[in-house]
Every structure is written in C-alpha cells, then in structure tokens.
Amino acid sequence: MKNVFIVFVVIMLLTSCHNSDKTQGNTHSTEKSNKFERQVLIEELKKFQQIIASNDKEKIGDIFDFPLSNSSFSIFVDDEAYYKQLKSNQDEVTKEMFLQHYEEIRESIWVNQLNELFQNINLEDLLNKDSLEYEAYFKDKPCFYSYQIEVLEINNVMLKMNMNSNREYINENLSEEDIPENSSEICEHSFWWILKFDGKEISVKEISGAD
C-alpha cells in the first residue's frame, strides 16, 4: 500500500511539472505573439507618419474610409460652399469634398501638430510601453504644446495634441481681444485622432477636439 502511495505522489508531481511547463510555454507563446503584433503596429504607424509628412492630399485621403460622418470627424471649414455640400450629403464629407477643400481641412484637423508629434516621439518605444509623451515647453512662449501616443484597447491608437497655457509667461502685451497672450481662451485646446488597427493596416476612426 505504501508503494502504491509513493507511485501516486510521483505521478502527481510529474503531472504538476508538465502542466506548469505547458502553462509557461503558453505564456511565452502569447507574449511572443503580442510582441509581433505590436511591432506590426509600429511599422504601420511609421507608414502613417510618412503619409502625413508628405502633405500629399491624395495619399492622406487614402487613410480615411469615406464618406466621413460629421459627428465622428471634427472638421471646420470657413466656407459657405463647403457647408452647402455637407448639407446636401447628409452631413457626410465625401472624398471629393476632402480633396477640394484640403488646405482648409488640413489646418482644421491639426496636421502640422500631428507632424510635430511624430517628430518628437520615438515610435519604437511603443514596443515596451502603451503610452508615450512629449512636452514642447518654452518659457518665453505664452502657449506650448504637449503630445501623446497611447495604444488603447483592441489596438486602437490615440494621437493626442494639447495646447497649454504657460502660467510662468510674463508679458505686458495683450492679444487682439485685449486679453493676456497666455490666457486659457487662447492657449488651452485639445485635439486627437483615433486610429483603428485591424492587425494589418491602419485607418482613421475618429477626429475630435475640445476647448
């Protein structure tokens, strides 16, 4: 009976070790898969960066899934013809409209600041981090920008740009509206792009902002 008990204990120990090895193997496999997927995401972000930097409206237009819902894409164009087209298209922006009004749209969706974000954040660091930030602070400027890239759930990516007030800025000059140059009305704004990643490619899911 004693021998039977010893054999049983040995079998249990061997089984436990086998299951432990299997669990560790599955964990390593999952980590390797996640790293591979994150590297693919980084490479796609680099391609996205190059497209944005090109300022080629045709290439930039290709990263959107047209038509764009006016509720999901915060685009402001100070042009009566644009809003007539928007109204006739049930508040959706067509690719033709995007290309026709690209210069105004480019400014509206902060493409210049998006370029600054990519120039100042190393995308390779996303391999080990989900969030990266950079602050472009200058003490002699009334406003400054901060930038953030964050990988959200299901591999969506947020590219966020904040315009901030420099509270330490001292200057007697007033703006055209007779308020301090570093006032919140002038300096405090946020804008973000949400990108969707399907495991292979990136496209723009949402563009929005807040004051």
Side-chain angles (χ1 to χ4, degrees):
M1 186 70 178
K2 185 177 180 180
N3 290 339
V4 172
F5 176 74
I6 293 173
V7 171
F8 175 76
V9 171
V10 171
I11 292 173
M12 291 299 293
L13 288 172
L14 290 173
T15 301
S16 176
C17 290
H18 174 73
N19 289 337
S20 176
D21 290 342
K22 185 176 181 180
T23 300
Q24 290 180 4
N26 289 338
T27 300
H28 291 319
S29 178
T30 300
E31 289 177 353
K32 187 175 181 180
S33 176
N34 289 341
K35 287 288 186 183
F36 175 77
E37 188 172 288
R38 181 59 63 89
Q39 189 63 63
V40 173
L41 173 59
I42 291 170
E43 293 306 315
E44 288 305 305
L45 282 171
K46 288 179 180 178
K47 293 177 184 177
F48 181 86
Q49 175 185 6
Q50 291 174 350
I51 291 171
I52 295 297
S54 74
N55 198 31
D56 185 318
K57 63 182 181 181
E58 293 284 350
K59 290 181 179 179
I60 292 176
D62 287 341
I63 64 179
F64 293 93
D65 293 327
F66 290 99
L68 309 179
S69 167
N70 198 40
S71 60
S72 298
F73 291 84
S74 183
I75 298 174
F76 173 76
V77 175
D78 189 14
D79 186 290
E80 186 177 347
Y82 172 85
Y83 284 100
K84 284 184 177 179
Q85 287 178 284
L86 189 65
K87 187 176 181 180
S88 67
N89 289 322
Q90 290 75 50
D91 281 340
E92 290 184 332
V93 179
T94 64
K95 188 169 185 178
E96 181 182 359
M97 289 174 61
F98 182 90
L99 297 177
Q100 182 181 350
H101 299 277
Y102 174 71
E103 289 304 323
E104 296 93 334
I105 290 174
R106 178 181 183 276
E107 183 176 348
S108 172
I109 59 178
W110 286 31
V111 169
N112 283 345
Q113 290 307 319
L114 197 58
N115 273 316
E116 289 292 325
L117 179 151
F118 282 123
Q119 288 172 16
N120 288 289
I121 292 180
N122 183 8
L123 294 175
E124 285 293 342
D125 290 340
L126 287 174
L127 191 60
N128 299 303
K129 296 180 180 179
D130 290 334
S131 182
L132 302 172
E133 297 183 41
Y134 174 78
E135 188 176 273
Y137 174 78
F138 299 95
K139 65 180 181 180
D140 60 342
K141 301 291 184 182
C143 312
F144 67 96
Y145 287 93
S146 58
Y147 307 96
Q148 179 183 14
I149 295 180
E150 183 176 359
V151 180
L152 308 173
E153 294 180 1
I154 59 174
N155 273 347
N156 283 340
V157 179
M158 178 175 68
L159 308 174
K160 190 171 186 179
M161 299 150 283
N162 294 319
M163 190 178 182
N164 311 284
S165 298
N166 180 1
R167 298 305 179 188
E168 299 178 359
Y169 176 77
I170 300 175
N171 194 307
E172 299 299 326
N173 295 331
L174 297 178
S175 70
E176 293 180 0
E177 293 79 14
D178 292 328
I179 57 177
E181 290 181 305
N182 64 341
S183 68
S184 59
E185 294 97 317
I186 296 175
C187 293
E188 296 184 9
H189 310 281
S190 292
F191 210 79
W192 57 89
W193 290 44
I194 303 294
L195 310 180
K196 60 181 179 182
F197 175 60
D198 62 6
K200 295 181 180 179
E201 296 179 328
I202 278 176
S203 60
V204 184
K205 179 179 181 181
E206 176 188 339
I207 295 178
S208 191
D211 294 327

